[in-house]
Amino acid sequence: DAGVIQSPRHEVTEMGQEVTLRCKPISGHNSLFWYRQTMMRGLELLIYFNNNVPIDDSGMPEDRFSAKMPNASFSTLKIQPSEPRDSAVYFCASSLGSSSYEQYFGPGTRLTVT
Amino acid sequence: SQKIEQNSEALNIQEGKTATLTCNYTNYSPAYLQWYRQDPGRGPVFLLLIRENEKEKRKERLKVTFDTTLKQSLFHITASQPADSATYLCAPLARGNYGQNFVFGPGTRLSVLP
């Protein structure tokens, strides 16, 4: 079992550029989550999908952030345009769904916006 | 608003001793409470889930208690080892509204000294 896969692992970009983070959840998992982690704010939930449908995006900080899940094995988180305050580690996690609260996290993408 | 506090940001203990980490929450009534471990540069890893009707749960050297009256969970690691050094996150989960439930505490960084 490969676990949750995220790419890239590190991303350095300039302010104003578009950034796309990618996630492949564990096969058979119905729920997918995007989190952001910073020293100041800790681990924050951005958006949650169930069966590929976005259920709650109230954690998305602003319209510059968008997420998609075109199929059960792939999701993207896009930031356009990026700003220095978006610098953080972004995690993707998956779970079996509402029958299970156990989440499996990916290794994260460390984003630096200069 | 919901608030989760974990005891001191960092905790140092001697190898072989029992480490006790605290998770306090206010302004909601979780039905479950999870504990995760996070190593530097990695995503959180699920350790234990305890339900509101369970006073205590054990897994190998780990023990978790859940006191809904005190609004507190204690996480114990007995016979601690340097390999237990990591950051530990608690996540109290309210019943219903599955996706919105995943709010994590700020974490406690545990260092087990040889």
Side-chain angles (χ1 to χ4, degrees), chain B residues 8-33:
Chain B
S8 58
E9 194 176 307
L11 180 65
N12 296 328
I13 65 165
Q14 210 65 39
E15 182 177 5
K17 301 292 186 184
T18 296
T20 298
L21 284 62
T22 304
C23 175
N24 294 293
Y25 54 89
T26 54
N27 295 329
Y28 68 128
S29 300
Y32 315 92
L33 195 143

Side-chain angles (χ1 to χ4, degrees), chain B residues 29-108:
Chain B
S29 300
Y32 315 92
L33 195 143
Q34 293 185 312
W35 284 88
Y36 285 76
R37 168 183 173 142
Q38 186 173 22
D39 291 285
R42 294 178 176 268
V45 175
F46 172 81
L47 294 176
L48 283 166
L49 178 145
I50 186 167
R51 292 173 168 76
E52 61 182 340
N53 60 352
E54 297 176 312
K55 294 299 182 187
E56 179 180 300
K57 197 156 192 178
R58 294 174 183 262
K59 179 181 177 183
E60 298 174 351
R61 294 183 296 109
L62 309 180
K63 184 179 83 171
V64 173
T65 62
F66 191 11
D67 190 325
T68 56
T69 301
L70 291 179
K71 294 186 181 292
Q72 179 182 80
S73 174
L74 298 179
F75 177 82
H76 306 273
I77 306 175
T78 58
S80 60
Q81 306 166 359
D84 296 325
S85 299
T87 296
Y88 292 86
L89 307 168
C90 71
L93 307 171
R95 195 184 309 279
N97 296 323
Y98 177 74
Q100 296 94 317
N101 276 331
F102 291 101
V103 179
F104 286 80
T108 295

Side-chain angles (χ1 to χ4, degrees), chain A residues 54-102:
Chain A
I55 303 300
D56 183 9
D57 65 355
S58 59
M60 297 284 260
E62 48 197 277
D63 291 345
R64 298 184 297 106
F65 286 69
S66 63
K68 294 182 180 179
M69 191 165 186
N71 57 62
S73 59
F74 185 65
S75 177
T76 60
L77 178 67
K78 185 178 293 186
I79 308 173
Q80 166 65 17
S82 57
E83 296 182 4
R85 61 193 168 116
D86 300 330
S87 297
V89 181
Y90 291 81
F91 288 104
C92 174
S94 68
S95 75
L96 285 170
S98 57
S99 62
S100 172
Y101 288 103
E102 181 174 345

